[in-house]
Amino acid sequence: MIRGVEKAGTRFRDHLDQKVMDWIRPYDESIEFDTALLGAPLSKTSISHSAAFRLPDAIRSLFQTFTPFSIYHRLDLSEHLRLVDMGNIRMHLTDLNACLEAIEWACLDYWKQFPHQRLILLGGDHAITGASLLGLAQARPGNYGILHFDAHHDVRNLQDGGRSNGTPFRTVLESGNFKGKNIVQIGIQDYVNSRIYHEYVLQHGVTVHSARQVRHTGLMTLIEQEVNRLRKQVDAIYVSFDMDVIDQSFAPAVPAPSSGGLDMWQAIEALEWLGSQPDVIGFDLVCIDPERDVRDLTVRAATTLLMSFLTGQALNSSTK
């Protein structure tokens, strides 16, 4: 034995400083849990070059630096929320439709087996959302509301490129399983959407709140208003969060950055509140290319938003 040697990659550990990686447990059938993380590492369906398939593991790598303690709320999430990591959905090497089917089937299986536990899906690009929602509709037929945070409508036509990160909400709308009046798009940006696609969503009854409307009205005001409206007509709500809805100064590593997006405090408070709502059954977080990031700035922002959503759920649990 050589004295003073430790395993490669070993990090300094303070035994009084619990990290998120110490809290989350790998899933096995013997574990009871409240919420599961599931990676969907797909970005070959991205219109622009993207290594977003690396995002699930990039977020996990930061779990060794984040703690499960909220100073603001004086709340230890690990005491109120049982969180498991189910790993990543296996992607086909070359067949994009097979990749989307794999995500659909995995989400279908999850919601059939765990109808009362939340699912958090880590993309990947936004194509994963269409597949996830198709799986939900098959596993639990019902009437669902969708809160879609994005700079883009994501309803591109299917003729020019098939299903991609630009088509998930056309997939959803044309599936027949979801009604446009139950879909709310928040943070949509000027100058990055075509008139035809804007008119398409309006014709289907989708509610659209532009980034400028959010600035003038306030994000929390809009979200509370829309969730209260949706509750009167849906069974549950799904939240899809594309990181390009965040201003590029906070999220430089999104494949389609734009100026004038949401700031981080708006998003933190919105996702914390949504996490506290018991009728929110699913949440996905998509569209970061870790290879383009600067000192993990964008991945850290995404991990903070994930933790904010989990904090909302833990707050709701702590009051019961």
Side-chain angles (χ1 to χ4, degrees), residues 6 10 28 52 57-58 64 76 81 84 95 131 158 161 175 206 213 255 266 281 299 308:
E6 60 187 8
T10 300
D28 72 52
D57 288 343
Q64 62 189 345
D76 188 332
L81 191 62
V84 298
D95 189 332
L158 299 170
S175 70
V206 175
Q213 285 175 280
Q266 289 176 305
I281 60 165
V299 178
S308 300

Side-chain angles (χ1 to χ4, degrees), residues 34 70 73-82 272 275-276 310-320:
D34 304 302
S70 166
H73 294 292
R74 295 184 62 81
L75 180 76
D76 188 332
L77 277 64
S78 67
E79 295 177 355
H80 301 283
L81 191 62
R82 298 168 298 180
E272 185 178 290
S276 72
L310 292 168
T311 298
Q313 186 173 1
L315 282 168
N316 187 46
S317 299
S318 70
T319 60
K320 293 179 179 178

Side-chain angles (χ1 to χ4, degrees), residues 57-251:
D57 288 343
I59 289 175
R60 290 183 177 107
S61 72
L62 292 182
F63 288 164
Q64 62 189 345
T65 63
F66 278 64
T67 77
F69 181 64
S70 166
I71 289 178
Y72 179 78
H73 294 292
R74 295 184 62 81
L75 180 76
D76 188 332
L77 277 64
S78 67
E79 295 177 355
H80 301 283
L81 191 62
R82 298 168 298 180
L83 183 63
V84 298
D85 189 340
M86 293 202 159
N88 291 335
I89 303 167
R90 185 170 56 250
M91 296 291 104
H92 193 280
L93 186 62
T94 58
D95 189 332
L96 302 187
N97 286 327
C99 293
L100 292 169
E101 286 180 350
I103 296 168
E104 180 179 335
W105 294 340
C107 292
L108 187 161
D109 290 345
Y110 178 87
W111 270 304
K112 270 193 172 180
Q113 294 177 54
F114 308 108
H116 304 296
Q117 284 93 339
R118 269 190 183 158
L119 176 62
I120 297 177
L121 198 62
L122 302 176
D125 69 33
H126 220 158
I128 73 162
T129 300
S132 170
L133 286 166
L134 291 179
L136 170 61
Q138 293 175 72
R140 296 176 52 180
N143 204 16
Y144 294 103
I146 303 170
L147 289 183
H148 169 208
F149 293 82
D150 206 322
H152 309 89
H153 289 302
D154 283 358
V155 290
R156 290 183 182 275
N157 75 82
L158 299 170
Q159 289 72 40
D160 289 331
R163 288 172 66 184
S164 71
N165 67 326
T167 67
F169 288 91
R170 183 177 288 266
T171 298
V172 165
L173 285 165
E174 297 187 358
S175 70
N177 296 310
F178 301 89
K179 298 174 182 176
K181 68 177 183 178
N182 296 335
I183 299 175
V184 181
Q185 297 190 323
I186 299 169
I188 303 297
Q189 286 273 24
D190 289 337
Y191 318 125
V192 295
N193 293 280
S194 76
R195 178 178 179 177
I196 288 175
Y197 293 142
H198 182 64
E199 291 177 347
Y200 172 89
V201 295
L202 295 181
Q203 288 166 3
H204 281 76
V206 175
T207 299
V208 177
H209 295 291
S210 69
R212 189 176 300 196
Q213 285 175 280
V214 171
R215 180 172 178 79
H216 288 314
T217 306
L219 182 57
M220 282 305 307
T221 298
L222 288 175
I223 289 175
E224 290 183 23
Q225 166 190 311
E226 292 297 349
V227 168
N228 288 332
R229 178 181 68 85
L230 288 173
R231 281 193 173 124
K232 299 173 183 176
Q233 57 201 41
V234 303
D235 303 314
I237 296 171
Y238 182 99
V239 178
S240 180
F241 199 98
D242 187 324
M243 283 295 293
D244 70 22
V245 76
I246 300 291
D247 189 84
Q248 63 183 0
S249 61
F250 299 101

Side-chain angles (χ1 to χ4, degrees), residues 19-35:
K19 301 299 185 183
V20 171
M21 64 178 288
D22 302 315
W23 164 40
I24 299 177
R25 300 180 66 184
Y27 170 75
D28 72 52
E29 293 182 356
S30 66
I31 295 177
E32 293 185 356
F33 65 94
D34 304 302
T35 295

